Structures are given as C-alpha cells and as structure tokens.
Amino acid sequence: YLVKVSVDDQQVYVYALDDNDQYSILTRTMTCSTGLRDTPTPTGEFTYTGPGARWHYFKKWKCWAQYAYYIDGDIMFHSVLYNSDDESTLVKSSVRNLGRRASHGCVRLSVEDARWLWNNCPGGTHVIVY
C-alpha cells in the first residue's frame, strides 16, 4: 500500500497497486486528526515506517493510544486517546476531534482505522504527508 495523509482535508488515503504497478486504487479513506498549528505533523515522504506497540504510552502527555505505527521518529499513526491501557478509559474528546487538527504532531485515527493500518501495512510502507 501507499498511504497519503492530507493535513488540509484531515483524511488518510490508502492506495493499492493496479495492474500497471501504480498506486492508483483507492482502498480506504480514514478521517484523522493531525497536529495543531503550533505542533504540526511533519510533511514529506517517509519510508522508515512500521508498526509499534499495541498500546503506546505518551509520558509527556500522560495518556495512552492503541496501534502505534511509526511514520518518522516519535511521529506516528495511532488510535484516539485513553487514560490508561484499558478500552473503558477512552477520552471522548479525542473521538469528537477526529476531522480537525488536535494532536501534538501524530496522526490520530479511529480505533478501527488504526487497527487496520497496523495489521495491513508492513514496515517500510511508503507514507506521504502533505
């Protein structure tokens, strides 16, 4: 797959290869939350990507997310936020913020979308953020 993140549209687009080995088949569209203006999601092309922890703890922000998938350094795709590594502690405001800038640089997704990306995009998947 090829994964494209539109900061302007707050959407993630996943493309599969066509018969000509071009990434032209739109396979999945996901609503996301990218970085706030003061903490933007870095733009560019990234290939040192890959799945991380099933549950990821953000020490600086004292919160959790599911299905961490690294894009660049500490920047990753991940699910909406939780107060602990327990699904019953969902931070509802992080769900309501999907579709608008809300993160400190990461790309937040619904749990279903974060799980799909984590399960279907192996390490080295090409990610373009624009």
Side-chain angles (χ1 to χ4, degrees):
Y1 294 109
L2 168 66
V3 181
K4 292 184 175 183
V5 180
S6 171
V7 173
D8 288 341
D9 295 341
Q10 296 295 293
Q11 296 287 315
V12 176
Y13 305 101
V14 180
Y15 294 89
L17 285 170
D18 63 21
D19 293 337
N20 297 316
D21 284 335
Q22 301 294 312
Y23 287 102
S24 67
I25 301 169
L26 181 61
T27 302
R28 193 173 184 98
T29 301
M30 303 177 259
T31 300
C32 67
S33 291
T34 62
L36 296 162
R37 301 227 184 261
D38 291 343
T39 55
T41 302
T43 57
E45 297 193 27
F46 307 95
T47 55
Y48 295 104
T49 63
R54 165 72 168 74
W55 280 99
H56 182 86
Y57 181 65
F58 296 94
K59 291 178 201 157
K60 186 173 182 178
W61 313 111
K62 297 181 178 146
C63 65
W64 292 81
Q66 296 188 69
Y67 304 106
Y69 185 96
Y70 289 92
I71 300 170
D72 184 44
D74 290 338
I75 302 299
M76 62 189 83
F77 292 104
H78 60 73
S79 76
V80 290
L81 304 177
Y82 295 82
N83 287 315
S84 73
D85 58 345
D86 178 333
E87 291 186 359
S88 70
T89 66
L90 177 67
V91 177
K92 291 182 176 73
S93 62
S94 69
V95 176
R96 287 191 302 270
N97 280 329
L98 286 173
R100 61 180 156 226
R101 293 172 185 260
S103 80
H104 294 98
C106 289
V107 180
R108 289 185 200 160
L109 299 166
S110 70
V111 174
E112 178 185 344
D113 287 338
R115 181 186 310 117
W116 186 92
L117 192 128
W118 196 72
N119 283 325
N120 290 284
C121 294
T125 296
H126 194 161
V127 175
I128 300 172
V129 181
Y130 62 97

